[in-house]
Amino acid sequence: MVMLEIVPVPAFSDNYIWLVHDPDSGETAVVDPGDAVPVLAEAERRGWRISQVWNTHWHPDHTGGNLAVKDAARATVSGPAGERIPGRDVELRERAEIRLGAHVGRVIEIPGHTLDHIGLVFEADGIAFVGDTIFAMGCGRLFEGTAAQMFDALQRIAGLSPDTRLYCAHEYTLGNARFAAHAEPESAAIAERLAAVTAMRGRGEITLPTTVAQERATNPFVRSPGVEKFARLRSEKDSFG
């Protein structure tokens, strides 16, 4: 089985929409299309046929392009069962399967940013699409859920295989790295990653995907020993810088 080809499509100021292509079947899925225009253009440029839309949560910068993609490509829209997902055809809950050709993923519920946020884990491929729950060296804001929910969600993601590549939805890494260095000033691993990320962004390079191993080593939210410490860090990050 040929590996999935995953392409970032920049949108808005800092979003990434992910195009996921299976060379064997010719199928292509799009993850969290907040804007249909760039993702349709990139798929057309590559000669890829979009057959599915996968949403991790309801926020408009992740779902705003659903209907236009669905109409243009006759794609099937799948998203969390408990959220208002435009054009949704398939409701996704814990342990549900999602397929692209012969590649099979499973749904995990990872609430906190929103109440019914989900992730899509393709274990055989070593990849996971995690929306706005975890970012490189950071995590999402608590717009709907509790600190306990987000802490548990992060621990669940951190429990995946260390080499799992995590496809987050925003280019927040530099700001997150600066906060991580503030939160753990004694960490050589964080200082080294901050320097690397600073150089990458200076060259205009994307910093994603990250990996579970990298987040275990350098993400202060993942590394929090408990909910109370996590909640303090999340509150501090909200007003940092």
Side-chain angles (χ1 to χ4, degrees), residues 68-98:
V69 172
K70 182 175 183 175
D71 181 63
R74 300 186 183 277
T76 299
V77 177
S78 301
E83 297 193 348
R84 303 180 303 276
I85 304 297
R88 182 181 56 207
D89 302 295
V90 180
E91 296 183 347
L92 298 178
R93 297 179 174 86
E94 179 74 25
R95 294 187 298 276
E97 286 190 351
I98 196 159

Side-chain angles (χ1 to χ4, degrees), residues 104-165:
V104 182
R106 64 181 173 93
V107 175
I108 60 171
E109 294 177 353
I110 45 175
H113 185 65
T114 66
L115 286 178
D116 291 278
H117 196 299
I118 62 171
L120 305 172
V121 181
F122 289 77
E123 285 166 318
D125 296 280
I127 63 176
F129 298 98
V130 291
D132 285 359
T133 296
I134 191 170
F135 299 122
M137 305 185 79
C139 72
R141 288 178 179 261
L142 303 178
F143 286 127
E144 296 178 7
T146 66
Q149 286 176 314
M150 181 64 90
F151 177 79
D152 288 345
L154 293 177
Q155 294 306 307
R156 188 168 193 193
I157 293 168
L160 298 173
S161 175
D163 60 355
T164 304
R165 299 186 303 282

Side-chain angles (χ1 to χ4, degrees), residues 174 192-205 207:
L174 183 54
E192 181 179 349
R193 194 173 181 192
L194 170 58
V197 168
T198 300
M200 291 175 73
R201 294 307 294 155
R203 296 190 295 267
E205 296 174 3
T207 62

Side-chain angles (χ1 to χ4, degrees), residues 28 30 33 35-44 48-53 64-77 87 89:
T28 303
V30 55
D35 186 355
V37 173
V39 77
L40 289 172
E42 182 64 20
E44 183 177 5
W48 291 354
R49 175 181 57 85
I50 296 174
S51 58
Q52 298 186 58
V53 172
N66 276 18
L67 297 180
V69 172
K70 182 175 183 175
D71 181 63
R74 300 186 183 277
T76 299
V77 177
D89 302 295

Side-chain angles (χ1 to χ4, degrees), residues 199-215:
M200 291 175 73
R201 294 307 294 155
R203 296 190 295 267
E205 296 174 3
I206 182 174
T207 62
L208 300 174
T210 182
T211 67
V212 168
Q214 285 180 296
E215 297 316 301

